[in-house]
Amino acid sequence: MKRKEYQEKYDEMQHRLMLLQTSYNTQGQRGVVVLEGWDAAGKGGLIRRLAWATDPRTVRVYPIGAPDAHEQKEHWLQRFWNRVPVAGEIAVFDRSWYGRVLVERVEGFADESAWKRAYREINEFEQQLLAEDFRIVKLFLDITPETQLKRLQSRLNHPYKRWKLTEDDIRNRHRWRDYEAAYSDMIDKTSQRHAKWIRIDANEKRRSRLEALEEIYQGLSRGFKLAFPEPPVQAVNYLTKHKAE
């Protein structure tokens, strides 16, 4: 996709996302966006474009890593309950509770009985959110091994990108088939009505970002009417009477 075409479509999407966020604030809606995918698939770039289009005061981004010492003492889902958005907010999870059936499964941080049980626990967790009228959008950013290698090399070659290059990236790459099987089971076992996994072909950055933003918009706007708030009557009367010169 050419840059000009991409920018025009992104500008249009930006306006739509602003209306979506305004409607969430006005109507007290609550939304959850879950981003999973391969290392270097573009989750960070997507989050930046989403953040540029919205007001950071009511869009919360949570980069999820290993649980800290306190969180390890709690039920493994507790730290995600603590991040559930309040009325008017949208929470974006850069990796999520699916770590239990992905990295914890592949790297042996959870025993087999725990990660197999987690599919049911995850489905129940999301069912509770859906029952309370949360809207959930789950995106899986998919790339080929060849695309990943090019992007990891780009991180190495550009100093301002090197902070994103870790030893985990290389170790995980060596276990591609194990993660491929884990992703396949995740999608198969945890796609629910109104909380289905949406696969995004992320090999081409611009097109995949627009596709992902469209899926986020469609999923978060499902089932209610988008609208700007009505201005307060007192403000209308005053500003109509006292016009700035």
Side-chain angles (χ1 to χ4, degrees):
M1 180 177 289
K2 299 296 184 181
R3 181 179 294 275
K4 182 179 179 181
E5 179 188 2
Y6 167 77
Q7 192 61 50
E8 289 174 351
K9 291 185 177 182
Y10 175 75
D11 290 345
E12 178 187 355
M13 176 57 67
Q14 187 174 35
H15 288 297
R16 295 167 67 195
L17 289 170
M18 289 171 62
L19 173 57
L20 174 68
Q21 185 180 26
T22 299
S23 299
Y24 263 63
N25 295 341
T26 303
Q27 301 178 40
Q29 302 293 335
R30 296 170 292 186
V32 174
V33 178
V34 178
L35 300 178
E36 292 287 352
W38 300 99
D39 295 328
K43 295 183 292 297
L46 173 60
I47 290 171
R48 284 196 298 276
R49 272 70 184 181
L50 179 61
W52 291 343
T54 54
D55 187 328
R57 289 174 291 184
T58 55
V59 173
R60 316 289 185 187
V61 177
Y62 297 108
I64 302 299
D68 61 29
H70 175 73
E71 291 168 337
Q72 291 176 10
K73 298 177 183 178
E74 302 175 332
H75 186 277
W76 71 276
L77 280 171
Q78 181 63 41
R79 62 179 176 143
F80 303 108
W81 275 115
N82 293 339
R83 292 169 169 82
V84 166
V86 301
E89 287 189 352
I90 298 170
V92 181
F93 290 88
D94 180 5
R95 302 201 184 277
S96 64
W97 42 94
Y98 285 94
R100 175 55 61 106
V101 297
L102 294 174
V103 64
E104 293 185 37
R105 164 185 168 172
V106 174
E107 303 298 337
F109 298 138
D111 61 42
E112 185 174 0
S113 62
W115 63 257
K116 284 188 174 180
R117 184 177 66 249
Y119 295 116
R120 172 180 54 80
E121 295 172 324
I122 288 170
N123 286 333
E124 291 174 350
F125 171 59
E126 293 178 357
Q127 286 167 6
Q128 291 179 67
L129 295 180
L130 291 170
E132 294 293 329
D133 293 327
F134 285 77
R135 286 165 181 80
I136 304 175
V137 180
K138 302 189 302 190
L139 303 183
F140 171 62
L141 275 59
D142 196 8
I143 56 175
T144 65
E146 293 77 17
T147 295
Q148 185 190 65
L149 181 59
K150 290 179 181 178
R151 293 182 183 176
L152 293 178
Q153 289 172 335
S154 176
R155 291 180 178 182
L156 176 63
N157 296 332
H158 292 81
Y160 62 88
K161 291 184 178 182
R162 285 180 189 163
W163 68 272
K164 296 191 292 185
L165 184 62
T166 68
E167 293 182 1
D168 288 345
D169 294 332
I170 306 305
R171 187 184 72 247
N172 294 344
R173 182 173 170 80
H174 287 312
R175 305 199 66 174
W176 185 278
R177 290 188 178 180
D178 295 330
Y179 276 100
E180 194 170 44
Y183 282 132
S184 178
D185 287 343
M186 174 192 77
I187 292 171
D188 180 60
K189 297 178 184 296
T190 62
S191 279
Q192 306 183 69
R193 184 170 178 264
H194 297 318
K196 294 182 179 179
W197 279 105
I198 301 167
R199 178 187 173 275
I200 302 292
D201 183 344
N203 288 289
E204 202 281 302
K205 287 185 178 181
R206 292 173 185 166
R207 192 175 303 279
S208 65
R209 286 170 185 163
L210 292 174
E211 182 182 350
L213 290 173
E214 179 67 32
E215 293 291 354
I216 290 171
Y217 175 84
Q218 292 295 337
L220 293 183
S221 63
R222 182 183 61 245
F224 77 99
K225 184 178 180 180
L226 304 182
F228 288 115
E230 292 295 329
V233 174
Q234 185 177 4
V236 172
N237 293 338
Y238 179 85
L239 295 174
T240 301
K241 182 178 180 181
H242 301 83
K243 294 185 178 180
E245 296 182 359

